[in-house]
Amino acid sequence: MKQTKRIFFSALVAAVGLPLSAQTTGTSELPEFQSEYISVFQYWQEHNIFQHLDLSVTAGTTGIGIDVASPVGEYVQLRAGYEFMPRFTKKMEFALMIGGKPARQYGADGNRVQTTFDRMNEMLYQFTGYDIEDHADMNGKPTMNNFKFLVDVFPFKNNKHWHFTAGFYWGPSQFAVADNTTASMASLLSVALYNRMYDKAVNNSPLLDLDNLGLTEAEKAKWGILGMIVPTDVYDVIKGLGRLGFGVGYYKEDVLDKSGNVIHKAGDRYVVEAGEDGMVHVKAKSKPFKPYVGFGYGGNLLKGRDDWKVSFDAGAMLWGGTPDLYVHDGTNLTVDVENIGGQVGTYVDIFKAFKAYPVLNVRFTKRIF
């Protein structure tokens, strides 16, 4: 064992001493390596990495915003910022239908003719004291806001005006919303009241639950004698008129309930009714992560001043497919419904046609350092 340790120790000394002896006796036979240390900041300075900072204000189809940019070499710069769309409204109109028939109809002479809706409106006025409009107005407004991270590449050595850009926008999936106007709320509540009566008529249910009114048995019997518990004649009229709602289009496929039963067949009319809050809501959604590709051109904003610049960008923000338009009842207008008419149909067709959002922006830039 001692002999083994002695051999191991001698080998270790020989291994350590070899370079030492080489330095003293064989320096001329071994190459000499020298390294020059360069700090990270010195390297960045020599290669123009993060040596400048530009602050910009932007305006265009993605809204107004602010971003900062810095070079990472002679031909590339990084940009990061935030943009939001100012709130403005665009009015749309949902037309009412009753029993599958339009509320508003015109004769051959162009004058409006009396419809089933007019008969229903007269009857409902006696209950509510309100005239129902034959349509409901909707106010659509954008809610778009996104963080962006972009990479600009300047491919021409002697012409730094042109650049190509790639990156992404990221923000909430909802980018627009539409709600009925305040002026339409009375009509929507009247529609909900009428449909409540229609459901009772179809199911032959009592008009009122007398047990919750604190009536005596004699009083309850009197209501029955007068035909007020199940007003058969009135119910027959209501059933003949049909259900009231906003005819938007037709179902593309069968709609099933949780048990797998068909509740709407393909080709049936899709009719929108107010939700539990008495209102109609539509939300436009896309993927939160949206890749971007584009190009741009820029130059000095002021003659002889390199610290002020202006540039223009054009490109496309990729939705990640067709955007979704969800009604408050869960129906997706861009997927579940077809042959949508009127103003609503025009907007739906626009959403379905564009798989990407066009980006046109102008950017005013000031160099900070």
Side-chain angles (χ1 to χ4, degrees):
M1 179 64 69
K2 292 182 179 181
Q3 184 68 21
T4 303
K5 290 182 178 180
R6 188 177 296 110
I7 296 174
F8 176 79
F9 181 74
S10 301
L12 180 61
V13 172
V16 175
L18 181 60
L20 297 176
S21 60
Q23 291 180 8
T24 55
T25 61
T27 54
S28 60
E29 299 178 3
L30 295 177
E32 182 176 349
F33 295 97
Q34 294 183 353
S35 62
E36 182 179 352
Y37 173 77
I38 301 178
S39 68
V40 173
F41 295 105
Q42 182 180 348
Y43 179 85
W44 285 0
Q45 185 176 14
E46 292 178 357
H47 294 82
N48 193 30
I49 299 177
F50 302 130
Q51 296 304 297
H52 304 289
L53 182 67
D54 294 337
L55 178 65
S56 302
V57 176
T58 63
T61 57
T62 52
I64 59 176
I66 188 171
D67 65 42
V68 292
S70 187
V72 290
E74 187 177 356
Y75 300 101
V76 179
Q77 78 170 1
L78 302 181
R79 274 196 287 147
Y82 175 80
E83 293 179 342
F84 74 96
M85 184 67 70
R87 302 297 185 256
F88 62 89
T89 59
K90 176 65 177 179
K91 184 170 288 188
M92 298 177 289
E93 183 179 289
F94 277 99
L96 269 172
M97 299 187 72
I98 182 169
K101 300 176 182 178
R104 187 189 308 168
Q105 298 183 41
Y106 298 90
D109 56 0
N111 295 324
R112 180 168 175 172
V113 298
Q114 187 176 28
T115 64
T116 303
F117 170 82
D118 297 320
R119 293 172 54 203
M120 182 279 305
N121 191 20
E122 177 61 30
M123 181 190 69
L124 196 59
Y125 178 80
Q126 298 180 34
F127 286 94
T128 65
Y130 291 105
D131 276 322
I132 303 178
E133 297 286 343
D134 56 16
H135 67 279
D137 292 325
M138 303 281 292
N139 279 335
K141 56 185 177 182
T143 61
M144 182 186 301
N145 62 98
N146 290 288
F147 166 81
K148 63 181 180 181
F149 181 80
L150 305 173
V151 179
D152 296 320
V153 178
F154 301 84
F156 307 115
K157 183 176 182 180
N158 298 320
N159 185 350
K160 295 300 180 64
H161 295 291
W162 289 99
H163 62 268
F164 295 93
T165 304
F168 66 87
Y169 284 74
W170 182 86
S173 58
Q174 177 181 301
F175 62 88
V177 65
D179 302 301
N180 61 265
T181 63
T182 304
S184 295
M185 290 189 67
S187 293
L188 290 173
L189 291 174
S190 297
V191 170
L193 175 60
Y194 169 81
N195 283 335
R196 178 74 170 172
M197 297 170 61
Y198 177 82
D199 290 337
K200 288 180 177 292
V202 170
N203 298 319
N204 204 35
S205 301
L207 182 63
L208 296 172
D209 186 354
L210 301 183
D211 293 332
N212 294 327
L213 296 181
L215 300 177
T216 64
E217 293 300 325
E219 291 171 329
K220 293 179 183 178
K222 182 179 179 180
W223 277 68
I225 293 173
L226 295 175
M228 295 300 293
I229 297 177
V230 180
T232 307
D233 293 340
V234 177
Y235 277 5
D236 289 341
V237 173
I238 293 176
K239 286 187 287 186
L241 295 175
R243 194 173 183 85
L244 184 62
F246 303 95
V248 176
Y250 299 87
Y251 288 102
K252 294 176 64 175
E253 299 178 349
D254 292 346
V255 179
L256 310 178
D257 60 15
K258 295 181 180 180
S259 301
N261 301 316
V262 177
I263 55 177
H264 298 290
K265 294 182 179 180
D268 285 351
R269 168 76 71 172
Y270 170 57
V271 179
V272 178
E273 298 180 19
E276 294 181 355
D277 59 356
M279 299 184 66
V280 175
H281 307 279
V282 180
K283 296 180 179 180
K285 295 186 175 183
S286 68
K287 296 290 189 298
F289 181 83
K290 298 168 279 286
Y292 171 84
V293 290
F295 65 94
Y297 181 89
N300 289 350
L301 177 62
L302 303 174
K303 186 176 181 181
R305 293 285 300 272
D306 292 334
D307 58 333
W308 282 97
K309 295 185 180 295
V310 60
S311 59
F312 301 89
D313 289 272
M317 187 167 60
L318 306 180
W319 289 123
T322 302
D324 299 310
L325 292 173
Y326 288 108
V327 185
H328 59 266
D329 61 9
T331 302
N332 188 345
L333 295 180
T334 59
V335 176
D336 304 327
V337 186
E338 60 185 359
N339 297 328
I340 302 174
Q343 288 182 314
V344 177
T346 300
Y347 287 111
V348 173
D349 290 340
I350 292 174
F351 278 109
K352 293 171 67 174
F354 287 98
K355 308 299 182 184
Y357 184 81
V359 176
L360 295 172
N361 281 338
V362 59
R363 189 167 79 252
F364 299 97
T365 302
K366 175 68 172 70
R367 172 150 293 179
I368 305 302
F369 63 83

